Amino acid sequence: MGRCHYDAATQLAKSPPLFGSADHLAGIAAECVIKAMLLDFFGSRQDTPLGIPYSPAIRNNPAAPSKTQIEKARKASEHGHLPHVWDQLLLLANGHRGATVLAQIPQQNPFRESADEWDVAHRYRDSSQISDQRVKRHLAAARTVIAAYQQAK
C-alpha cells in the first residue's frame, strides 16, 4: 500500500497546485511502510477490535501500575500517524533487521521539522502553503523508508 501512495505522490508532485496532495500522500506512504516494518519485523500486533497496530513491548511497560498509567501506556503503544510512528520505529527496531533499517533511515525524523511538521490533518491545508522543498523532502523520506523495508525483507 505504501508504494502505491508513493507512486501517486510522485505524479502529483509534478504540478504545483497539487503539492498539498503530494505531500499528504508522501507522508501516508512513509507511515504505511513504517507500520508494515513494525508489524512484519519488530513484534507489533494488529489484533484489537479497531485494528489499530500497537507495540506489546511499549504497552506492557507502564511507568507505574495505576489505571491511568496503564491507559497512557496503551495510547503510547498505538502506532498512529507521523511524525510519532517514525519515532516508534527508531525505538523498536532491533536485531539484524533493525540494524539494517536503522542504517538506512535518518535518525532525525524528517516529518518532524520544528516550523513545518507533517501532520495528517494537513490534508485540509491550502496547497499553496506547501512548498516544493517540503514535498521533495517528504518524498525522499518515503523513498528511503520503502528501500529500507525492501532491504530488510
Side-chain angles (χ1 to χ4, degrees), residues 75-97:
K75 285 298 280 176
S77 73
E78 291 179 350
H79 302 317
H81 295 292
L82 285 170
H84 182 66
V85 74
W86 184 288
D87 299 333
Q88 288 178 319
L89 176 63
L90 296 177
L91 174 70
L92 295 169
N94 59 50
H96 176 70
R97 283 190 168 139

Side-chain angles (χ1 to χ4, degrees), residues 56-125:
I58 296 172
R59 182 169 289 183
N60 295 332
N61 289 316
S66 72
K67 191 173 184 177
T68 302
Q69 289 302 93
I70 290 169
E71 180 60 19
K72 283 183 180 180
R74 184 192 66 75
K75 285 298 280 176
S77 73
E78 291 179 350
H79 302 317
H81 295 292
L82 285 170
H84 182 66
V85 74
W86 184 288
D87 299 333
Q88 288 178 319
L89 176 63
L90 296 177
L91 174 70
L92 295 169
N94 59 50
H96 176 70
R97 283 190 168 139
T100 299
V101 168
L102 293 175
Q104 294 182 60
I105 66 170
Q107 300 305 295
Q108 185 170 348
N109 187 336
F111 292 93
R112 189 182 297 282
E113 295 289 325
S114 59
D116 199 20
E117 182 174 296
W118 188 93
D119 190 288
V120 71
H122 288 169
R123 66 188 179 272
Y124 303 116
R125 288 173 85 181

